[in-house]
């Protein structure tokens, strides 16, 4: 037995016990006649003491040779510490070592294995197995485990059945780019890694499984950022004989269950907002409702004066920043520079300071009098002491720009508090969206999403106005889950493929297996998928998912620890019947 207790287990009640511990050397303090060693494992730290008056000389000499991250085993007696440490659970005791065994030596680590480390992100990713020993990463992985177990418990108690679906599937043209896998046994043909188990979970509903879930890896070959990885994990769910309200209730219940069991936070009912309302009020379809600054449209009160910038704009819209009328011109200019960055793309910004006694000071005083500006304040909900910030231009682009500014101000002003949780359902998404490059409609979610029955008549005449039976669950300004009621009728699915530009032959070639299945009694069904990485990060008070993934990729999609992706030798290429023609 390597250990009788772990390094976070012993307490003052264990004094005088003989114990065996094993772990890594966190640090060592050698005072000559006495040596203290902090021994660490996953569970915590226990202080060891080597005392020349009570420890054999050979053990003392071996203790002097210990370096950081040596793996050791000790046997000794639990004693009460003279100098107690209230910051750790084992801080009232230490182990007087009688026997010491070095199980493995360690080179000097390339960065300190401490909560606050001197290692940059690149070096920590290269030595990720060392980074995992640090409490912030270790605790994030343990937190993810807890979230995952709570999800499994909740869904299993509702009679959901966990079913695995294949990783080697068929490539489809919708959505992001696929990762493809060559087939040695079928030269010139390729599998694709699944972007989601979408069609398989629908087939499980045809198969009568009724309630399915899977915590599953998914893959998308797309540009990366803080909350995106090429491989990610979904909590994938599907249900039969349900309507939209059934799904919203089940998965609102799951989110409430997680908030209650992890943070002891109770939220009775999640608010709901249509897609159109979210775009008009917040400029995006995943608004953070932990703070205000709702959009106020100003076309009616800002156009048709003498200010040509507003008169030529499709949309003039503003927000009221609470308490920001005290901003200096330098601070306001910095905000203007921020929105003019290429990442945001605004050409400029107008401001109004709401001062005492209903007085307004604006960058466009030349064109608007006090009565005009009072109407701006009314439209944006601005009060005395607030700062109104106004953008204009094409509607979609301007809303996106003002949304980015609102979120930036929320961060700067400390309004996006990680220990506050504000869930929101966004419903009634458009079924289709127009793509300028391909000059055709694409499914906003995926081709299997059912349209609202009351909008069906618009499919032939005005398809852009058709709403989908689709919904997203938003938490703190992040989409954590989304889904839809599916099409379960073969003729309706064929009609959808037609509106998406598929010929009958193309639809049959790529999705024939699903349409064929619909001929054998497909039940009404729908579902939802949560992004487990993102959900866990937000519940953990962060928005970056990387520390909640054991072995993440960097922003170039590389695993710098194992140096992947990498070239393969010609023998493997020949077996796969592949000839490389690398461009650039």
């Amino acid at each position: 037995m390597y250990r009788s207790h772990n390094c976070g287990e012993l307490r003052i009640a264990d004094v005088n016990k003989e114990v065996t511990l094993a772990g890594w050397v966190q640090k060592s303090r050698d005072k000559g006649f006495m040596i203290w060693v902090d021994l660490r494992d996953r569970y915590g730290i226990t202080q060891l003491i080597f005392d020349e008056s009570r420890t054999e000389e050979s053990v003392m000499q071996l203790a002097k040779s210990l370096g950081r991250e040596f793996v050791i085993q000790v046997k000794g007696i639990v004693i009460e510490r003279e100098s107690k440490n209230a910051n750790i659970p084992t801080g009232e005791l230490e182990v007087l070592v009688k026997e010491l065994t070095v199980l493995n030596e360690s080179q000097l680590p390339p960065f300190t294995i401490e909560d606050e480390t001197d290692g940059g992100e690149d070096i920590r990713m290269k030595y990720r197995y060392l980074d995992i020993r640090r409490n912030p990463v270790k605790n994030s992985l343990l937190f993810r485990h807890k979230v995952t177990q709570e999800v499994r418990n909740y869904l299993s108690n509702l009679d959901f059945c966990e079913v695995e679906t294949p990783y080697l599937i068929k490539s489809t043209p919708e959505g992001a780019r696929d990762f493809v896998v060559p087939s040695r046994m079928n030269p010139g043909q390729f599998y694709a890694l699944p972007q989601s188990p979408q069609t398989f979970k629908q087939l499980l509903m045809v198969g009568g499984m009724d309630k399915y879930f899977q915590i599953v890896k998914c893959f998308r070959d797309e540009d990366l950022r803080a909350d995106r990885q090429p491989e990610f994990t979904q909590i994938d769910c599907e249900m039969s004989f349900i309507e939209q309200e059934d799904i919203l209730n089940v998965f609102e219940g799951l989110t409430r269950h997680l908030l209650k069991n992890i943070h002891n936070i109770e939220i009775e009912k999640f608010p709901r907002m249509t897609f159109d309302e979210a775009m008009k009020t917040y400029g995006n379809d995943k608004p953070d409702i932990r703070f205000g600054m709702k959009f106020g449209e100003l076309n009616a009160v800002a156009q048709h004066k003498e200010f040509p910038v507003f008169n030529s704009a499709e949309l003039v819209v503003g927000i009221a920043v609470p308490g920001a009328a005290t901003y200096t011109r330098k601070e306001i200019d910095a905000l203007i520079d921020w929105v003019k960055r290429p990442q945001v793309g605004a050409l400029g910004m107008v401001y109004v300071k709401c001062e005492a006694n209903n007085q307004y000071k604006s960058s466009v005083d030349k064109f608007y009098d006090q009565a005009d500006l009072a109407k701006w304040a009314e439209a944006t909900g601005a009060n005395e002491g607030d700062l109104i910030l106004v953008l204009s231009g094409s509607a979609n682009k301007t809303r996106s720009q003002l949304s980015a500014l609102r979120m930036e101000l929320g961060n700067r002003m400390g309004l996006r508090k990680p220990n506050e949780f504000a869930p929101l359902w966004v419903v009634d998404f458009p079924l289709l969206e127009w793509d300028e490059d391909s000059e055709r409609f694409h499914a906003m979610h995926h081709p299997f999403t059912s349209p609202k029955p009351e909008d069906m008549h618009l499919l032939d005449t005005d398809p852009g106005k058709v709403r989908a039976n689709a919904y997203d669950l938003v938490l703190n300004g992040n989409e954590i889950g989304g889904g839809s009621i599916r099409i379960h009728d073969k003729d309706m699915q064929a009609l959808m493929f037609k509106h998406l530009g598929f010929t009958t032959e193309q639809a049959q070639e790529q999705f024939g297996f699903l349409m064929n299945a619909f001929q054998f009694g497909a039940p009404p069904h729908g579902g939802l998928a949560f992004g487990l990485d993102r959900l866990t990060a937000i519940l953990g008070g962060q928005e970056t998912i990387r520390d909640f993934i054991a072995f993440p990729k960097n922003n170039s999609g590389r695993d710098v620890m194992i140096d992947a992706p990498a070239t393969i030798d010609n023998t493997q290429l020949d077996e796969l019947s592949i000839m490389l023609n690398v461009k650039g």
Side-chain angles (χ1 to χ4, degrees):
M1 185 170 64
Y2 276 107
R3 56 187 180 184
S4 61
H5 299 76
N6 64 53
C7 293
E9 187 175 353
L10 296 172
R11 296 294 184 269
I12 193 67
D14 295 307
V15 166
N16 296 324
K17 278 186 181 178
E18 291 188 4
V19 297
T20 303
L21 303 181
W24 288 264
V25 173
Q26 176 83 13
K27 63 177 65 171
S28 178
R29 300 177 296 284
D30 187 349
K31 298 297 183 181
F33 63 92
M34 200 171 288
I35 301 170
W36 288 275
V37 171
D38 287 348
L39 188 65
R40 182 195 72 241
D41 65 8
R42 168 186 148 185
Y43 304 95
I45 290 176
T46 296
Q47 180 170 285
L48 313 178
I49 182 171
F50 301 80
D51 182 349
E52 68 177 13
S53 66
R54 295 179 287 178
T55 304
E56 290 185 5
E57 176 62 23
S58 60
V59 176
M60 287 292 295
Q61 291 305 313
L62 187 54
K64 290 179 182 291
S65 71
L66 297 178
R68 283 180 176 266
E69 302 308 309
F70 275 38
V71 184
I72 65 173
Q73 180 193 48
V74 297
K75 295 181 180 179
I77 305 295
V78 180
I79 62 175
E80 186 172 359
R81 283 175 65 164
E82 290 185 10
S83 179
K84 294 181 172 58
N85 181 357
N87 296 319
I88 59 174
T90 60
E92 292 185 285
L93 58 94
E94 57 194 359
V95 174
L96 176 62
V97 178
K98 299 298 185 182
E99 298 179 30
L100 167 62
T101 303
V102 176
L103 300 173
N104 217 329
E105 296 183 356
S106 172
Q107 296 181 18
L108 184 67
F111 54 88
T112 55
I113 313 297
E114 303 275 1
D115 290 4
E116 298 294 330
T117 182
D118 55 359
E121 185 172 15
D122 289 344
I123 194 73
R124 289 189 292 108
M125 289 301 100
K126 184 174 181 180
Y127 297 93
R128 181 64 166 181
Y129 45 86
L130 297 180
D131 200 32
I132 290 172
R133 295 180 190 173
R134 296 173 52 244
N135 283 326
V137 181
K138 176 198 72 177
N139 290 338
S140 292
L141 296 181
L142 293 173
F143 183 80
R144 180 189 177 110
H145 166 73
K146 182 177 181 180
V147 171
T148 303
Q149 291 303 104
E150 291 292 346
V151 168
R152 279 197 163 96
N153 291 340
Y154 176 87
L155 293 174
S156 297
N157 286 336
L158 291 180
D159 291 329
F160 279 79
C161 177
E162 187 167 5
V163 182
E164 290 187 353
T165 54
Y167 277 164
L168 297 175
I169 64 169
K170 187 176 184 179
S171 183
T172 59
E174 293 293 321
R177 290 181 293 271
D178 289 327
F179 284 102
V180 295
V181 180
S183 171
R184 178 186 59 82
M185 293 182 289
N186 301 276
Q189 296 186 315
F190 296 81
Y191 299 106
L193 299 180
Q195 297 185 31
S196 81
Q198 181 61 49
T199 52
F200 286 97
K201 65 182 179 182
Q202 291 191 250
L203 291 171
L204 285 170
M205 297 302 102
V206 177
M209 288 307 295
D210 188 63
K211 291 180 179 179
Y212 140 94
F213 85 99
Q214 183 180 191
I215 297 178
V216 59
K217 275 277 185 266
C218 302
F219 308 86
R220 290 179 187 169
D221 185 5
E222 57 188 356
D223 295 334
L224 306 183
R225 57 187 186 220
D227 63 343
R228 184 180 285 172
Q229 286 274 299
E231 52 182 322
F232 56 96
T233 305
Q234 282 187 351
I235 307 165
D236 197 56
C237 308
E238 198 81 359
M239 303 168 67
S240 293
F241 302 112
I242 45 79
E243 296 178 334
Q244 177 173 301
E245 194 66 25
D246 299 305
I247 291 179
L248 298 191
N249 287 334
V250 167
F251 295 104
E252 183 170 317
L254 171 57
T255 311
R256 284 205 308 268
H257 174 84
L258 293 173
L259 289 169
K260 172 63 177 175
N261 284 274
I262 291 171
H263 289 299
N264 199 29
I265 292 173
E266 297 198 37
I267 300 175
E268 284 304 315
K269 192 69 179 172
F270 294 3
R272 298 183 185 182
M273 184 180 297
T274 66
F275 171 85
D276 288 342
E277 183 184 356
M279 296 302 295
K280 185 174 181 178
T281 308
Y282 296 101
N284 69 67
D285 58 4
K286 48 181 184 297
D288 189 338
I289 58 173
R290 284 175 293 181
F291 63 102
M293 290 193 248
K294 294 181 179 181
F295 289 12
E297 296 192 0
L298 303 174
N299 290 47
V301 294
Q303 289 184 325
H304 312 301
K305 298 292 180 178
E306 300 298 326
F307 190 47
V309 173
F310 284 176
N311 289 342
S312 62
E314 181 183 3
L315 177 67
V316 184
V317 62
I319 55 173
V321 186
T326 58
Y327 279 21
T328 64
R329 182 56 191 268
K330 183 178 180 180
E331 290 174 307
I332 294 173
D333 285 346
L335 287 176
I336 294 173
D337 290 340
W338 191 89
V339 299
K340 290 169 73 173
R341 299 178 314 142
Q343 300 95 316
V344 180
L347 298 177
M349 183 168 67
V350 168
Y351 71 87
V352 180
K353 291 185 175 184
C354 303
E355 299 181 332
N357 302 317
N358 296 320
Q359 294 298 302
Y360 302 96
K361 183 178 180 182
S362 171
S363 55
V364 288
D365 283 336
K366 177 180 177 182
F367 303 98
Y368 298 94
D369 58 28
Q370 293 290 299
D372 294 326
L373 298 178
K375 293 177 182 177
W376 293 20
E378 182 180 359
T380 58
N383 298 308
E384 182 180 309
D386 293 349
L387 176 69
I388 303 172
L389 301 176
V390 182
L391 297 178
S392 64
S394 61
N396 290 342
K397 184 180 290 186
T398 302
R399 287 193 177 105
S400 176
Q401 292 163 350
L402 191 59
S403 174
L405 176 61
R406 176 182 177 270
M407 294 292 275
E408 174 67 14
L409 288 165
N411 287 329
R412 291 187 185 189
M413 299 171 72
L415 302 175
R416 305 188 68 205
K417 299 175 181 177
N419 58 347
E420 291 183 6
F421 297 94
L424 168 73
W425 284 109
V426 178
V427 299
D428 292 358
F429 282 81
L431 181 70
L432 307 169
E433 58 183 346
W434 182 256
D435 181 73
E436 295 290 346
D437 295 331
S438 61
E439 295 187 342
R440 67 182 181 91
F441 281 106
H442 287 264
M444 192 165 194
H445 281 70
H446 53 65
F448 316 108
T449 299
S450 171
K452 290 274 188 182
E454 60 268 32
D455 291 352
M456 285 287 298
H457 67 285
L458 296 172
L459 264 175
D460 289 320
T461 58
D462 197 352
K465 288 188 177 178
V466 179
R467 294 170 299 160
N469 250 326
Y471 33 82
D472 279 356
L473 183 56
V474 177
L475 184 62
N476 294 1
N478 294 270
E479 176 201 334
I480 60 167
S484 65
I485 301 300
R486 322 303 186 191
I487 297 170
H488 66 280
D489 176 78
K490 182 177 181 290
D491 293 336
M492 170 57 70
Q493 189 64 72
L495 180 62
M496 175 61 72
F497 284 140
K498 174 186 173 184
H499 282 284
L500 292 172
F502 288 85
T503 65
T504 302
E505 293 74 21
Q506 287 172 329
Q508 184 63 35
E509 178 186 352
Q510 294 186 31
F511 302 107
F513 62 92
L514 182 64
M515 298 176 73
N516 292 341
F518 284 176
Q519 298 179 94
F520 293 94
H525 60 282
L528 179 143
F530 284 92
L532 177 62
D533 311 293
R534 190 178 300 171
L535 170 63
T536 305
I538 294 169
L539 290 174
Q542 300 183 37
E543 292 194 10
T544 301
I545 66 175
R546 193 170 292 169
D547 276 352
F548 294 86
I549 299 173
F551 299 103
K553 307 292 190 292
N554 68 12
N555 286 342
S556 299
R558 294 197 65 83
D559 185 329
V560 295
M561 182 183 68
I562 63 172
D563 195 23
T567 57
I568 60 176
D569 62 39
N570 289 330
T571 302
Q572 289 176 285
L573 292 173
D574 290 342
E575 288 177 342
L576 295 167
S577 303
I578 289 177
M579 180 181 294
L580 294 182
N581 181 18
V582 180
K583 298 179 181 179

